[in-house]
Amino acid sequence: MPAAIKIRVCSARNLPVMDRTTELTDAYITLSFADAPQLRTHVARRTLNPTWNQEFRIEVADDNELQDHPLQIQCWDKDIMSSDDEIGAISVDLNPLLLQPTQLSGWYPLYDTLRGFCGELSLIIKMDFIGDVNPFKESGAGVQFFGLGAPPVGMRLASVVGLVEELIAAPDPE
């Protein structure tokens, strides 16, 4: 069942200084999902708290990709004389949108592996199923399996439905 991911990139705050001459940043955002073409905001020049308010739509033909691929979001600093510098990135799991018809919205932390926390990005993400039919409504989408004695910190155990003792997979003949 085809679906569309709607993303509104609102703004960012507390970005690091990336241009030493101006003590500011020329930021833009790139969005990518599975094999869809990469999308990009305009460049917000000379600010550490840019505002874009741009909306994007990603068409998804294979609804299995919604479970398997996160939405990748990167914040970049535009440079004229050299290649653009990555400020930070976010990976958004879309599984919560498959279970209930809501939206994901709020401030998401931008993270860089070398610098750590690099500001926040305000996003609104919605999911539209073509024909208003959610094929995941009665599925196990969003179910997480843990190989731990207890749930990870910050998570709580809602219920135990059953336990998997052993998973036997037949070899693929192809």
Side-chain angles (χ1 to χ4, degrees):
M1 176 81 43
I5 307 167
K6 294 180 178 179
I7 306 112
R8 181 177 186 92
V9 179
C10 302
S11 59
R13 63 184 177 195
N14 303 323
L15 295 181
V17 171
M18 299 297 285
D19 297 330
R20 298 291 170 222
T21 56
T22 62
E23 296 291 316
L24 296 169
T25 296
D26 300 322
Y28 67 93
I29 302 295
T30 60
L31 306 158
S32 57
F33 177 77
D35 294 330
Q38 189 177 70
L39 304 169
R40 179 182 154 162
T41 65
H42 67 272
V43 176
R45 300 213 177 270
R46 297 184 177 198
T47 179
L48 299 178
N49 300 298
T51 299
W52 293 282
N53 283 324
Q54 284 186 256
E55 293 186 10
F56 300 93
R57 181 180 173 101
I58 299 173
E59 301 289 335
V60 181
D62 182 4
D63 52 10
N64 287 324
E65 289 182 347
L66 297 171
Q67 287 186 1
D68 298 338
H69 299 282
L71 177 64
Q72 300 290 337
I73 303 168
Q74 293 176 294
C75 185
W76 295 88
D77 175 55
K78 180 73 176 166
D79 288 330
I80 295 172
M81 299 303 236
S82 62
S83 62
D84 296 351
D85 301 316
E86 184 177 1
I87 296 173
I90 303 168
S91 182
V92 180
D93 180 16
L94 299 175
N95 277 304
L97 291 174
L98 301 177
L99 299 175
Q100 49 195 344
T102 59
Q103 66 182 21
L104 299 174
S105 63
W107 289 94
Y108 292 83
L110 288 165
Y111 185 78
D112 178 68
T113 55
L114 296 177
R115 292 186 303 253
F117 175 75
C118 294
E120 297 174 294
L121 183 62
S122 175
L123 298 169
I124 300 172
I125 304 169
K126 298 178 184 177
M127 184 83 64
D128 282 345
F129 294 98
I130 309 302
D132 265 353
V133 178
N134 182 349
F136 300 101
K137 187 172 13 177
E138 307 223 357
S139 76
V143 174
Q144 296 184 0
F145 294 95
F146 299 103
L148 307 170
V153 175
M155 299 185 97
R156 65 178 180 78
L157 182 64
S159 66
V160 176
V161 178
L163 299 173
V164 177
E165 184 174 319
E166 182 179 3
L167 177 63
I168 300 173
D172 188 1
E174 294 180 8

